[in-house]
């Protein structure tokens, strides 16, 4: 069954969503109507991602970015209500656990439009995380829940979700990484441009509010990263504007001195640097998945994680403080043998065909009698 133009509304608002939904948009072609709430939007970041990923020009919402969570959700919901009234889609797709995803889910539910949740069933069991509340709420009202792993499916079943609504698709991050990782020659040129040697640097990112909004946490993280940096093993820190502002506001700018600080990187450039790093240190959810595709070790600096699959082999979960350095040095001490071991392991997040499975589900979700068979 072919889908008419603009019949599938894909609601998103952040850079990770853009990355993870790129292949789905490509496969849907003209049927995809991309709606960007502007939860994260500026030309240097989201605008760059749209261009780099080759995505169609979205319908942009206004008055969402930079607002508190409740305002973001309500502002996006009001505008989505108007859009879905004027141009009702056959189905709505949301991904993950952002405020944009929750707004898209609520708007679809209010209009009785079938809702498909990509990356359903993630659970940190940490009620301090706004994202945990978002993902639980979305899963309760979604019609089709695309679980990335069997563990995610088990989480949903434990909460009483009907198995007929769940499809284990794998995670779209796998095809995103394969599709966006530059080839070997391009990666070599990028390393040279950054003055880096393969397997001889640490790549770090810090952006989560639990780390950036606490001066103590931020001080602990930057101190530990600085202590990891040596003359022959730099620590590269692409710095998000919000994180930079928090560092300056907390009077911690001097802690950046031992680090190799750069502007935010495009997705392909970041993947290239991640692919050849000796170690990643990050609080990002997406990097927990990407490291398993790239075969690189990761120290996750967070209180909790909704991606335990990465922890089995690829990553260590630590809180801000000396545990960062301890885990990092343990991983670095494994050297080339450790990197080879990880490179040989399959990603627990699937085989790189999740987007194709999701498109197949979308072609049936608009025919209710076929929904059970699709899932």
């Amino acid at each position: 069954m072919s889908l008419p133009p603009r019949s599938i509304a894909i609601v998103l608002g952040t850079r990770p969503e853009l990355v993870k939904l790129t292949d789905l948009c490509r496969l849907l072609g003209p049927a995809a109507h991309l709606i960007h709430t502007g939860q994260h939007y500026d030309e240097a970041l989201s605008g760059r991602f749209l261009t780099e990923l080759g995505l169609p020009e979205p319908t942009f919402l206004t008055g969402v970015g930079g607002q508190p969570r409740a305002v973001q959700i309500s502002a996006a919901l009001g505008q989505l209500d108007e859009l879905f009234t004027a141009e009702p889609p056959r189905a709505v797709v949301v991904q993950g656990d952002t405020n944009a995803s929750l707004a898209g889910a609520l708007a679809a539910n209010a209009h009785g439009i079938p809702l498909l949740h990509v990356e359903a069933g993630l659970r940190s069991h940490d009620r301090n995380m706004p994202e945990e509340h978002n993902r639980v709420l979305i899963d309760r009202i979604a019609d089709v829940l695309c679980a990335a792993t069997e563990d995610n499916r088990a989480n949903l079943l434990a909460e009483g979700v009907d198995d007929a609504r769940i499809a284990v698709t794998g995670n779209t991050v796998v095809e995103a990484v394969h599709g966006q990782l530059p080839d070997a020659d391009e990666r070599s040129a990028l390393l040279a441009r950054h003055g880096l040697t393969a397997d001889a640097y640490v790549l770090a990112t810090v952006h989560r509010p639990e780390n950036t909004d606490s001066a103590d946490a931020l001080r602990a993280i930057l101190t530990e990263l600085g202590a990891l940096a040596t003359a022959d093993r730099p620590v590269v820190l692409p710095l998000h504007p919000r994180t930079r502002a928090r560092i300056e506001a907390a009077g911690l700018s001097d802690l950046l001195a031992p680090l190799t600080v750069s502007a935010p990187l495009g997705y392909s450039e970041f993947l290239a640097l991640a692919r050849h790093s000796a170690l990643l240190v990050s609080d990002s959810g997406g990097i927990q998945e990407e490291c398993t595709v790239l075969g690189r070790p990761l120290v996750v600096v967070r209180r909790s994680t909704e991606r335990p699959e990465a922890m089995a082999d690829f990553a260590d979960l630590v809180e801000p403080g000396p545990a960062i350095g301890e885990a990092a040095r343990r991983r670095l001490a494994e050297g080339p043998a450790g990197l080879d071991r990880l490179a040989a392991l399959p990603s627990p997040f699937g085989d790189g065909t999740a987007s194709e499975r999701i498109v197949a589900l979308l072609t049936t979700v608009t025919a209710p009698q076929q929904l059970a068979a699709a899932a």
Side-chain angles (χ1 to χ4, degrees), residues 115-117 120 136-147 156-157 159-168 361 371-372 374-375:
L115 173 66
L116 187 144
H117 185 200
V136 170
L137 289 168
I138 296 167
D139 282 339
R140 297 312 298 180
I141 60 177
D143 298 288
V144 179
L145 296 97
C146 297
L156 294 168
L157 293 174
E159 294 174 5
V161 176
D162 185 352
D163 195 23
R165 290 165 54 203
I166 307 169
V168 178
L361 289 165
L371 181 55

Side-chain angles (χ1 to χ4, degrees), residues 15-100:
R15 291 173 290 285
E17 290 166 293
L18 288 171
V19 166
K20 289 187 172 182
L21 294 173
T22 291
D23 275 63
L24 180 63
C25 289
R26 179 179 56 79
L27 291 169
L28 287 171
H33 177 197
L34 202 58
I35 302 172
H36 196 310
T37 70
Q39 179 177 330
H40 289 175
Y41 189 81
D42 60 66
E43 192 56 39
L45 292 170
S46 284
R48 178 178 178 180
F49 271 53
L50 283 163
T51 303
E52 181 180 333
L53 296 170
L55 289 166
E57 184 70 11
T59 297
F60 285 107
L61 307 187
T62 60
V64 176
Q67 300 296 325
R69 177 175 177 237
V71 178
Q72 287 192 2
I73 295 167
S74 61
L77 185 55
Q79 293 171 75
L80 289 168
D81 180 66
E82 293 179 7
L83 278 173
F84 292 170
T85 299
E87 187 181 353
R90 290 195 178 187
V92 173
V93 175
V94 297
Q95 191 273 326
D97 50 28
T98 66
N99 296 335

Side-chain angles (χ1 to χ4, degrees), residues 177-178 180-193 196 198 201 268 271-273 275-276:
V177 172
H178 288 318
Q180 296 298 321
L181 180 66
D183 64 28
D185 288 344
E186 290 179 88
R187 298 200 302 269
S188 179
L190 276 169
L191 289 181
R193 190 152 66 242
L196 298 172
Y201 60 91
S268 292
L271 288 178
L273 296 191
R275 168 65 182 79
H276 295 290

Side-chain angles (χ1 to χ4, degrees), residues 241-267:
R242 185 178 180 279
T243 305
R244 184 184 289 275
R246 294 292 184 179
I247 290 170
E248 292 172 356
L252 302 175
S253 297
D254 58 322
L255 295 179
L256 295 176
L259 307 174
T260 303
V261 177
S262 79
L265 304 175
Y267 188 59

